[in-house]
Amino acid sequence: MSTKFIQLESIDILSKIPSYHIILQGFIFLWVAWFISKRRQRENRQQPSEEEVQRKLTEWRPEPLVPQNSKDHPSLTPRSVTSLVGKRVTIDGNNCLNLATHNYLGLVGNNEIQEKAMATIQKYGVGSCGPRGFYGTVDVHLELEERLAKFMNMEEAVVYSYGFSTIASAIPAFCKRKDLVFVDEMVNFSIQKGLDASRSNVKYFKHNDVNDLKNLLLEQEKIDKKNPKKAANTRRFLIVEGIYMNTGCICPLPEFVALCKKYKLRIFIDESISFGTLGIHGRGVTEYFNVPKEDIDMIMASLEWSIGSIGGFCVGSSFVIEHHRLSGLGYCFSASLPPLLTTAAITSLDIMERNLEIFKQLKRNCLSLVDGLNEIEYFDCTSFKESPVKHLYLKEKRNLADEMKILNEISKKCIDSNLAIIMPAYLEAEIKMPRPSLRICVSSTLNQEDIQFTLKTLKNCSAQVLGFYN
């Protein structure tokens, strides 16, 4: 009786086991058996002979770690600078008039700034040795932030230690996954990297084309009507530059602001070039167009162009800036701006506030130079007349390689003739590769003799190079 009872109980237990357990156990058993058999087959394979190994090693051709470049590649023969970089610069022994660096107000090498920076080293040392939130904040950092906010007529400012990371950190601090960001297709590389880090849904509109942006917004409006719940939870941003690094064109800010109000976009402006160059007081594109600061959500800018220091800053409402201090990765985790460079930036602001003539002189030089450039028959200059950054494109379009070669030779010949003008360098990772050009950076330190020398030298060198290719 006991044996029969046990058998019946076993049958009852088995009947309660789900069938998929049995199937899964069977599959695992078969997989283990197959794995063991395959392993034994590999172990039993005959090892290749020594001759076969040597033959394969002889035939093997590893791929190069880097592509082969021509011997005349610019990276293999870099030019050397052997002087301070100011109004003039020595390149390969040539004492050149410097129109290659972004020293718009001529503050690089200013004696007053150098003296203040050296005094700061005596007091604070060279570096801050820590991020702002971890023993890296010095009183001069707070002073610079207060001065920048006051200068830009904003509530607060936050200072970063590197210009590129300012833009690349500020964007992902606010723009997140599933947010919608409308961006000009010719924005600079730091904005592009910020957008990559944000992982937002990015829509590019044609360069400086208000109508194209409006069309994108209308298309998005139709999409939103299909899913109003999702639309209500989607944040929207517009990111532009005051003056575009890659073209030298000014953004039509009033039209953009009007679209932002209509379609409820937050607007961020990179004013790295327009800050310190546009407006009566040098406050940038907002002052130039007389756009109320409360209509702009955030202004970003570098301290490495007109200010003549290192680093960058963002200004906006107190709410926006406080968010930076917790979410801006370049602010939270980078060592703070060295005190000597912070003092240099403060001194530059002092000079800008007490010498408004410097902005008028820069404007005169920009207008005078662009009038002369338009008379040179070899180039087109589509940059904004008052922009300190001007791009010269060959009037006769050619393929990319030929244009790069011609412009590079013109640049070399200009340097040999004591005029420093260069081609801007771009990475292949750019969203849209700009057309090759010669980039001219105008400074307030130039006089009429310098401008005439620039125009004459550029025209002669271009004629010689293009005469050979034509």
Side-chain angles (χ1 to χ4, degrees), residues 7-60:
Q7 290 176 347
L8 291 172
E9 186 176 3
S10 299
I11 294 171
D12 184 58
I13 292 172
L14 289 173
S15 65
K16 292 180 180 179
I17 298 176
S19 58
Y20 66 84
H21 281 192
I22 299 174
I23 296 173
L24 180 62
Q25 291 173 0
F27 175 77
I28 294 174
F29 175 79
L30 292 174
W31 180 81
V32 171
W34 174 84
F35 180 78
I36 293 174
S37 65
K38 282 291 183 181
R39 186 173 181 180
R40 288 179 177 175
Q41 289 178 9
R42 286 198 299 267
E43 292 176 352
N44 294 332
R45 283 178 185 171
Q46 184 178 2
Q47 295 295 326
S49 63
E50 183 66 24
E51 291 78 6
E52 187 176 358
V53 172
Q54 291 299 325
R55 180 180 60 80
K56 290 184 177 180
L57 289 175
T58 304
E59 295 174 352
W60 183 60

Side-chain angles (χ1 to χ4, degrees), residues 50-326:
E50 183 66 24
E51 291 78 6
E52 187 176 358
V53 172
Q54 291 299 325
R55 180 180 60 80
K56 290 184 177 180
L57 289 175
T58 304
E59 295 174 352
W60 183 60
R61 295 291 183 270
E63 294 184 4
L65 295 177
V66 295
Q68 295 294 329
N69 292 314
S70 60
K71 294 182 179 180
D72 58 347
H73 193 278
S75 299
L76 300 178
T77 56
R79 293 185 174 273
S80 59
V81 175
T82 54
S83 70
L84 293 174
V85 180
K87 178 180 178 179
R88 303 197 71 85
V89 59
T90 302
I91 304 177
D92 290 345
N94 300 303
N95 183 16
C96 299
L97 179 65
N98 184 12
L99 275 74
T101 58
H102 302 269
N103 185 23
Y104 310 137
L105 302 180
L107 296 178
V108 174
N110 180 278
N111 292 331
E112 181 183 355
I113 295 175
Q114 290 182 347
E115 291 174 1
K116 293 287 183 66
M118 288 187 289
T120 304
I121 293 176
Q122 297 298 323
K123 182 178 180 180
Y124 297 103
V126 176
S128 57
C129 301
R132 288 290 300 276
F134 299 91
Y135 310 105
T137 295
V138 184
D139 56 354
V140 289
H141 292 128
L142 303 177
E143 181 183 353
L144 177 57
E145 289 175 344
E146 183 180 350
R147 291 288 304 279
L148 286 168
K150 182 179 179 182
F151 182 82
M152 295 296 291
N153 293 328
M154 289 289 199
E155 291 182 5
E156 284 193 49
V158 60
V159 171
Y160 284 74
S161 55
Y162 182 38
F164 187 96
S165 67
T166 302
I167 316 301
S169 298
I171 293 173
F174 294 90
C175 304
K176 304 297 182 182
R177 188 189 294 271
K178 297 182 181 180
D179 288 346
L180 188 58
V181 186
F182 296 90
V183 187
D184 190 291
E185 65 181 1
M186 296 303 292
V187 291
N188 60 56
F189 197 59
S190 57
I191 293 179
Q192 294 177 30
K193 292 297 98 180
L195 293 170
D196 289 344
S198 72
R199 295 184 292 179
S200 300
N201 181 17
V202 181
K203 293 191 175 184
Y204 291 94
F205 59 90
K206 296 177 182 177
H207 181 47
N208 255 1
D209 193 331
V210 178
N211 290 328
D212 192 48
L213 172 60
K214 186 176 181 180
N215 291 335
L216 288 179
L217 292 171
L218 289 172
E219 291 177 7
Q220 186 61 40
E221 192 176 45
K222 295 178 182 178
I223 296 174
D224 292 341
K225 290 180 180 179
K226 297 179 181 178
N227 193 343
K229 185 177 180 180
K230 179 182 178 181
N233 295 323
T234 301
R235 301 187 305 171
R236 301 150 200 273
F237 300 86
L238 172 65
I239 300 178
V240 294
E241 292 181 65
I243 293 178
Y244 289 87
M245 172 66 72
N246 291 340
T247 64
C249 298
I250 189 172
C251 76
L253 187 59
E255 289 88 342
F256 284 152
V257 170
L259 288 177
C260 288
K261 290 181 178 179
K262 182 176 180 181
Y263 294 96
K264 296 179 174 56
L265 305 176
R266 297 174 176 91
I267 181 170
F268 295 167
I269 308 176
D270 179 1
E271 292 218 55
S272 294
I273 298 178
S274 52
F275 171 72
T277 61
L278 291 183
I280 298 175
H281 303 89
R283 295 190 177 111
V285 69
T286 51
E287 183 181 39
Y288 182 84
F289 286 113
N290 196 27
V291 173
K293 292 297 176 69
E294 54 269 20
D295 290 343
I296 309 301
D297 294 279
M298 183 172 66
I299 292 176
M300 311 169 284
S302 171
L303 294 170
E304 299 165 8
W305 304 145
S306 57
I307 291 292
S309 182
I310 298 293
F313 69 92
C314 297
V315 291
S317 66
S318 298
F319 176 81
V320 168
I321 298 307
E322 284 304 315
H323 185 76
H324 265 280
R325 301 189 193 279
L326 297 175

